[in-house]
Amino acid sequence: RRDDLSDQWEKLLEVRDTVLQALETARQEKVIGQSLGATVDLYEVRDESVRGRQSTFLADLFIVSQVRVHDPSESAPEGAIRSSAAAVTVRAAEGEKCARCWHVVEDLGTVTAYPDLCGRCAAILEA
């Protein structure tokens, strides 16, 4: 069991290394400023344990606002940063910045009591 967990983390960190490289390229090309202003698209992810992770977990691991994992049969677009673990593209996240977590989200202000917070942060404060 411990070896399985270790293997899963090794694969996650391989993908993360590729994401970090893609984020740096996007910063240099002025596509994004900070990593929390980014949406990461993952293509051709080789490992099923990475593909099966929730996008919120991956976003937290990569320190970005949004992650979309595409079907393994879908090829990455031209210009993607590639490694043996995945192909990655980065674009500016769509939405507005949450005042609490600084993630760029599309559900800002959906809880009336917290108009400048995302749904996730509002739920934490209401708990």
Side-chain angles (χ1 to χ4, degrees):
R1 176 79 179 128
R2 185 179 179 120
D3 288 340
D4 289 344
L5 187 58
S6 179
D7 287 345
Q8 287 178 23
W9 272 105
E10 186 176 315
K11 289 175 172 100
L12 283 165
L13 293 175
E14 284 178 38
V15 172
R16 184 173 180 266
D17 287 344
T18 308
V19 169
L20 293 176
Q21 183 182 0
L23 287 169
E24 186 55 35
T25 299
R27 258 191 226 93
Q28 290 172 359
E29 294 174 353
K30 307 242 186 268
V31 173
I32 61 167
Q34 302 174 345
S35 64
L36 283 176
T39 294
V40 169
D41 287 279
L42 298 177
Y43 298 89
E44 304 168 19
V45 177
R46 313 277 189 262
D47 189 78
E48 190 174 317
S49 66
V50 175
R51 283 194 314 268
R53 296 286 176 173
Q54 289 184 338
S55 60
T56 53
F57 171 83
L58 293 172
D60 288 343
L61 178 66
F62 304 151
I63 312 173
V64 298
S65 284
Q66 301 160 8
V67 174
R68 295 200 171 96
V69 181
H70 294 264
D71 189 270
S73 65
E74 188 176 345
S75 294
E78 182 109 9
I81 303 296
R82 296 177 180 278
S83 71
S84 61
V88 179
T89 61
V90 174
R91 56 193 162 92
E94 295 178 10
E96 297 179 71
K97 188 176 182 179
C98 173
R100 182 173 179 269
C101 69
W102 293 10
H103 285 93
V104 177
V105 296
E106 295 177 351
D107 69 340
L108 194 73
T110 54
V111 177
T112 309
Y114 303 103
D116 58 344
L117 301 184
C118 67
R120 182 176 170 185
C121 287
I124 291 168
L125 293 177
E126 287 185 331

